[in-house]
C-alpha cells in the first residue's frame, strides 16, 4: 500500500499532527469551560497521563502496522508520534509538579522515595528524554547503529508505564489491564516476527 | 480582548454558606410560625438546629461537588459513576437489622428508628484517604442515641455495619472489585463519641442516593471510607470486625484508619490534602482537626501500628 507522496506529506501527516494535538486542546477547552468536575486538577493530570500512554502505544503500533498491511510510508510518522508521546508525558509531569504539588520539592522528593508508582513514573520520563533528544536526522546519522540500540529502550519504557498505571490505581485495574493487553500484543508481534525472519533466513 | 465568559451556574452551585444559613434561618422562623411544613424532604425537619459545639465554620463545599464527586463502588468505581447510576437504589421502604450482643435485636423500619431522635445539622470536615477533602453540612443524630436504645450487653465491644446487598439495584455489586456487602466497624467508645453521626441528609435535604441514602455513618476524624453508606445491618460484637478495605488490601488499609499526616500510605501522601474547590493543597491535621474530641480514645496506642 502507498498513497501519493504529495498527499502523504501535505495532507496525511499534518492531519495526524492535528489529531494528536486535539486531546491537549480539548482538555484546555474543557478546563476553560469548567467541565472537568469537582476535582479539575486531578482530571487534567489523569487525562494527560492517559494520552501519553495511548500515544506511546500508537508509536509502538506503527511498525507492526507496516508489516500487517505492507505500508512502508507509515514508519515516517514515528518521530512525530514519538515526540507527541514525549510532549504529553512532559505535560503530565508538569501537571504533577505544578498543579498537584505546587513545586513543593520536599514533598516531591518524599513522593519519589515513598510511592513506588511515582518512582517508576519518574524513571520512565528519565529514560524517555534521551530518545526525544536523539530523534533528529543528524543524531540518527551520527549515532549509527547505537541509535537503534538506544531507541529499543522504548519497549522497557512501555512496560514501566503500564506498571506505573497499575500501581497508581486504588482497586479497579480494568483500565491498566486493557492497556497491558495492547502492549503485550504489540511486543508479542515483534517477538514472533523476529523468530519468523530468523527462521526464514536460516532456511 | 479576551474575556472569560462565565457560564450560568445552577442555583446549588452558588449557594455559599451565608446565603444557605440565612435561608435556613428563614425556614426556621416560618416553621416556628407554623407557616411552612416540611421543606427538606421526607426525613429532614425544616428547622433543624446547627450544633455549634461540633461544627466548623469553614467554607462549605458546594452541593454540586458533594453530590457529583463520590466514592460509592456499588455504583461504579469512577468518581462520577454514583451520580449517574445511584438512581436505581430503592430507599423506601427501608429497614435496618440490629443483631448481636444487645437486648433489643430486631428488624427496624427506618421511620421507627428515626421517630425518637431529633435531627441536627453539623458542618464537618471530610477527608478521603485519596488526599482530597470537603466540608459538608450533614443532617443527622448521634449514633450513641441509637446504640443506647438497643441496649448493648457487656460483651458488645465493637459495632459492625453493613451496606445493603442488592446487586439488582446496585450494579457495581455484580463485579468483584470488593467483597460485597460493604462492611465497616467501630470500637464501642468510638461509636459512642458525640462526634459520631448517623446522617440522614445534607444541605438541609434528604441524602441523595449517591451520598448514602437513606442512612449513613459519618466519622469525621477517620478517612472517608469508614463512613459507610446506605446501612442495612448493625451488629454488636465482642471481637473486632474486618472492614471491606482491610479485606481488599491489608497492608494499605487498617481497622482504625484515623486521619493521620504522620502515617504514610504507599499511594497517596497523607501530609497534605486538596480541599475540593481550592487550588493549593493544605496541611492535613491530626485526627482531621478533631484531636480535642478524640485523641484521648487512642492514648497509649501506637498509631503507626494501628493505622
Amino acid at each position: 500500500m502507498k498513497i501519493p507522496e504529495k498527499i502523504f506529506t501535505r495532507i496525511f501527516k499534518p492531519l495526524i499532527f492535528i489529531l494528536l494535538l486535539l486531546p491537549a486542546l480539548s482538555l484546555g477547552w474543557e478546563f476553560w469551560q469548567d467541565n472537568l468536575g469537582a476535582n479539575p486538577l486531578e482530571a487534567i493530570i489523569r487525562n494527560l497521563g492517559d494520552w501519553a500512554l495511548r500515544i506511546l502505544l500508537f508509536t509502538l503500533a506503527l511498525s507492526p502496522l507496516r508489516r500487517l498491511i505492507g505500508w512502508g510510508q507509515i514508519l515516517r510518522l514515528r518521530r512525530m508520534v514519538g515526540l507527541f508521546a514525549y510532549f504529553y508525558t512532559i505535560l503530565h509531569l508538569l501537571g504533577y509538579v505544578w498543579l498537584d504539588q505546587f513545586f513543593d520539592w520536599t514533598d516531591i522528593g518524599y513522593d519519589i522515595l515513598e510511592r513506588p508508582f511515582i518512582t517508576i513514573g519518574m524513571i520512565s520520563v528519565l529514560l524517555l528524554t534521551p530518545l526525544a533528544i536523539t530523534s533528529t536526522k543528524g543524531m540518527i546519522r551520527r549515532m549509527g547503529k547505537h541509535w537503534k540500540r538506544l531507541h529499543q529502550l522504548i519497549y522497557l519504557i512501555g512496560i514501566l508505564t503500564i506498571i506505573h498505571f497499575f500501581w497508581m490505581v486504588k482497586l479497579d485495574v480494568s483500565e491498566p489491564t486493557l492497556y497491558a493487553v495492547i502492549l503485550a500484543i504489540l511486543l508479542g508481534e515483534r517477538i514472533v516476527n523476529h523468530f519468523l525472519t530468523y527462521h526464514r533466513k536460516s532456511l | 480582548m479576551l474575556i472569560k465568559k462565565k457560564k450560568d451556574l445552577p442555583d446549588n452551585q452558588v449557594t455559599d454558606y451565608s446565603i444557605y444559613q440565612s435561608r435556613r434561618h428563614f425556614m426556621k422562623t416560618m416553621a416556628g410560625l407554623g407557616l411552612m411544613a416540611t421543606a427538606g424532604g421526607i426525613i429532614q425537619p425544616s428547622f433543624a438546629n446547627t450544633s455549634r459545639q461540633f461544627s466548623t465554620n469553614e467554607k462549605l463545599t458546594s452541593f454540586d461537588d458533594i453530590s457529583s464527586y463520590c466514592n460509592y463502588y456499588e455504583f461504579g468505581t469512577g468518581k462520577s459513576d454514583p451520580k449517574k447510576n445511584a438512581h436505581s437504589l430503592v430507599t423506601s421502604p427501608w429497614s435496618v437489622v440490629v443483631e448481636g450482643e444487645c437486648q433489643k435485636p430486631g428488624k427496624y423500619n427506618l421511620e421507627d428508628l428515626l421517630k425518637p431522635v431529633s435531627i441536627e445539622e453539623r458542618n464537618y470536615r471530610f477527608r478521603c484517604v485519596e488526599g482530597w477533602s470537603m466540608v459538608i453540612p450533614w443532617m443527622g443524630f448521634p449514633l450513641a442515641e441509637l446504640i443506647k436504645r438497643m441496649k448493648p450487653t457487656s460483651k458488645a465491644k465493637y459495632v459492625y455495619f453493613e451496606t445493603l446487598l442488592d446487586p439488582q439495584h446496585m450494579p457495581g455489586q455484580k463485579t468483584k472489585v470488593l467483597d460485597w456487602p460493604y462492611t465497616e466497624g467501630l470500637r464501642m467508645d468510638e461509636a459512642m463519641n458525640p462526634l459520631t453521626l448517623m446522617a440522614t441528609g445534607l444541605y438541609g435535604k434528604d441524602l441523595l442516593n449517591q451520598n448514602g441514602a437513606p442512612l449513613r455513618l459519618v466519622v469525621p476524624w477517620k478517612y472517608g471510607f469508614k463512613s459507610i453508606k446506605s446501612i442495612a445491618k448493625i451488629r454488636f460484637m465482642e471481637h473486632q470486625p474486618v472492614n471491606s478495605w482491610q479485606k481488599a488490601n491489608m497492608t494499605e488499609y487498617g481497622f482504625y484508619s484515623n486521619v493521620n499526616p504522620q502515617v504514610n500510605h504507599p499511594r497517596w501522601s497523607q501530609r497534605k490534602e486538596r480541599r475540593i474547590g481550592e487550588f493549593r493543597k493544605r496541611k492535613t491535621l491530626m485526627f482531621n482537626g478533631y484531636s480535642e474530641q478524640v485523641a484521648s480514645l487512642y492514648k497509649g496506642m501506637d498509631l503507626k501500628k494501628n493505622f
Side-chain angles (χ1 to χ4, degrees):
Chain A
M1 179 174 158
K2 189 166 164 57
I3 53 177
E5 193 54 35
K6 259 190 182 169
I7 296 182
F8 185 84
T9 46
R10 295 213 187 141
I11 298 174
F12 187 72
K13 209 174 161 190
L15 196 73
I16 299 291
F17 182 91
I18 290 166
L19 278 178
L20 291 173
L21 205 55
L22 273 183
L25 294 176
S26 101
L27 191 61
W29 175 254
E30 296 292 331
F31 179 68
W32 189 262
Q33 292 293 309
D34 198 12
N35 272 342
L36 294 175
N39 199 346
L41 305 182
E42 185 194 63
I44 289 172
I45 298 167
R46 293 274 170 92
N47 196 288
L48 290 169
D50 283 344
W51 282 105
L53 173 57
R54 285 171 196 154
I55 297 171
L56 185 79
L57 293 174
F58 183 30
T59 49
L60 286 172
L62 290 176
S63 67
L65 208 61
R66 180 196 55 131
R67 286 188 283 271
L68 194 70
I69 56 176
W71 186 15
Q73 282 170 314
I74 205 171
L75 282 191
R76 283 157 54 198
L77 295 174
R78 262 199 307 197
R79 171 168 46 212
M80 184 180 80
V81 180
L83 283 174
F84 262 110
Y86 189 63
F87 171 67
Y88 280 94
T89 303
I90 291 299
L91 287 182
H92 177 56
L93 175 68
L94 189 69
Y96 164 75
V97 170
W98 178 23
L99 305 179
D100 192 59
Q101 298 293 337
F102 211 84
F103 307 106
D104 186 332
W105 303 108
T106 318
D107 269 19
I108 292 171
Y110 276 125
D111 254 1
I112 294 173
L113 292 176
E114 292 169 352
R115 271 162 279 288
F117 85 96
I118 304 257
T119 320
I120 207 168
M122 292 294 178
I123 293 173
S124 305
V125 183
L126 282 183
L127 292 178
L128 202 55
T129 302
L131 306 200
I133 293 171
T134 59
S135 64
T136 61
K137 275 197 180 111
M139 276 306 222
I140 297 173
R141 204 178 44 228
R142 255 173 286 161
M143 289 179 68
K145 63 175 183 216
H146 299 298
W147 189 90
K148 198 175 174 193
R149 182 82 63 69
L150 177 69
H151 280 251
Q152 278 170 345
L153 268 180
I154 197 68
Y155 308 133
L156 175 67
I157 293 166
I159 294 167
L160 293 181
T161 307
I162 297 283
I163 297 173
H164 167 68
F165 200 168
F166 266 101
W167 285 352
M168 185 274 289
V169 162
K170 189 177 175 187
L171 191 64
D172 183 2
V173 292
S174 52
E175 257 188 85
T177 304
L178 175 71
Y179 290 115
V181 168
I182 295 172
L183 181 70
I185 292 170
L186 295 177
L187 296 187
E189 190 273 347
R190 285 171 166 80
I191 295 170
V192 171
N193 178 62
H194 178 80
F195 280 109
L196 284 182
T197 44
Y198 179 79
H199 189 64
R200 226 174 283 142
K201 273 180 202 160
S202 64
L203 271 177
Chain B
M1 210 170 84
L2 202 64
I3 298 169
K4 188 172 170 179
K5 194 173 153 281
K6 277 270 171 236
K7 275 193 310 184
D8 289 333
L9 296 170
D11 189 31
N12 54 24
Q13 270 184 347
V14 292
T15 310
D16 81 356
Y17 190 57
S18 58
I19 299 171
Y20 170 64
Q21 281 296 58
S22 64
R23 199 183 289 160
R24 289 201 63 75
H25 178 74
F26 170 75
M27 279 159 43
K28 279 177 213 172
T29 317
M30 298 303 271
L33 295 170
L35 295 176
M36 210 160 83
T38 53
I42 305 162
I43 299 171
Q44 307 319 309
S46 50
F47 47 89
N49 281 317
T50 305
S51 165
R52 283 188 200 286
Q53 192 192 345
F54 296 112
S55 283
T56 169
N57 51 18
E58 288 165 272
K59 185 175 180 288
L60 297 176
T61 305
S62 76
F63 180 80
D64 196 47
D65 285 348
I66 295 172
S67 58
S68 66
Y69 192 74
C70 316
N71 275 324
Y72 198 170
Y73 281 18
E74 281 82 344
F75 299 105
T77 55
K79 290 279 184 302
S80 51
D81 293 341
K83 188 182 177 174
K84 262 181 272 166
N85 303 328
H87 57 84
S88 56
L89 177 67
V90 183
T91 59
S92 179
W94 191 270
S95 56
V96 179
V97 172
V98 179
E99 57 183 34
E101 304 292 344
C102 70
Q103 290 171 29
K104 302 258 178 186
K107 190 174 181 177
Y108 294 87
N109 289 326
L110 183 64
E111 298 75 44
D112 298 332
L113 278 183
L114 297 181
K115 218 174 273 166
V117 301
S118 56
I119 303 284
E120 54 182 290
E121 181 186 54
R122 294 190 183 188
N123 303 350
Y124 279 166
R125 287 177 291 275
F126 183 94
R127 169 65 155 79
C128 178
V129 71
E130 297 166 7
W132 53 268
S133 65
M134 296 181 173
V135 180
I136 303 177
W138 299 107
M139 317 289 291
F141 61 95
L143 172 62
E145 286 182 19
L146 193 149
I147 290 179
K148 279 180 208 151
R149 271 157 57 204
M150 298 304 153
K151 298 198 188 313
T153 67
S154 59
K155 276 187 174 172
K157 303 280 196 304
Y158 295 90
V159 191
Y160 160 94
F161 304 88
E162 232 178 70
T163 296
L164 181 71
L165 180 64
D166 183 4
Q168 205 193 324
H169 297 107
M170 297 175 125
Q173 290 180 339
K174 287 175 189 160
T175 67
K176 281 274 157 228
V177 278
L178 284 169
D179 188 13
W180 311 111
Y182 193 87
T183 63
E184 259 308 337
L186 294 173
R187 217 168 58 189
M188 195 49 114
D189 57 348
E190 296 176 323
M192 294 298 286
N193 189 282
L195 273 180
T196 308
L197 198 71
M198 279 303 233
T200 53
L202 60 85
Y203 262 111
K205 299 173 194 146
D206 287 351
L207 283 175
L208 295 177
N209 288 356
Q210 64 264 36
N211 292 121
L215 185 70
R216 69 170 290 169
L217 187 66
V218 177
V219 197
W221 72 93
K222 292 176 180 286
Y223 291 120
F225 66 85
K226 293 293 290 182
S227 296
I228 183 171
K229 303 185 184 80
S230 308
I231 294 168
K233 190 180 278 182
I234 297 175
R235 185 188 301 148
F236 294 95
M237 296 171 73
E238 192 176 0
H239 300 289
Q240 184 175 301
V242 178
N243 54 31
S244 286
W245 279 100
Q246 232 183 330
K247 216 183 274 182
N249 194 338
M250 277 284 184
T251 58
E252 289 189 20
Y253 311 98
F255 172 77
Y256 286 98
S257 297
N258 293 316
V259 176
N260 187 340
Q262 280 130 43
V263 173
N264 227 335
H265 190 278
R267 229 168 278 282
W268 309 279
S269 168
Q270 302 301 18
R271 291 183 193 88
K272 288 185 184 172
E273 66 199 50
R274 169 163 294 117
R275 183 66 53 83
I276 294 300
E278 291 180 357
F279 180 65
R280 293 283 292 268
K281 285 186 174 177
R282 50 169 71 212
K283 286 218 159 76
T284 289
L285 304 172
M286 187 65 201
F287 296 117
N288 203 19
Y290 296 100
S291 291
E292 205 185 307
Q293 290 93 338
V294 301
S296 59
L297 296 174
Y298 309 101
K299 216 172 261 172
M301 273 176 74
D302 183 349
L303 294 178
K304 287 209 160 122
K305 266 185 206 145
N306 299 286
F307 57 91

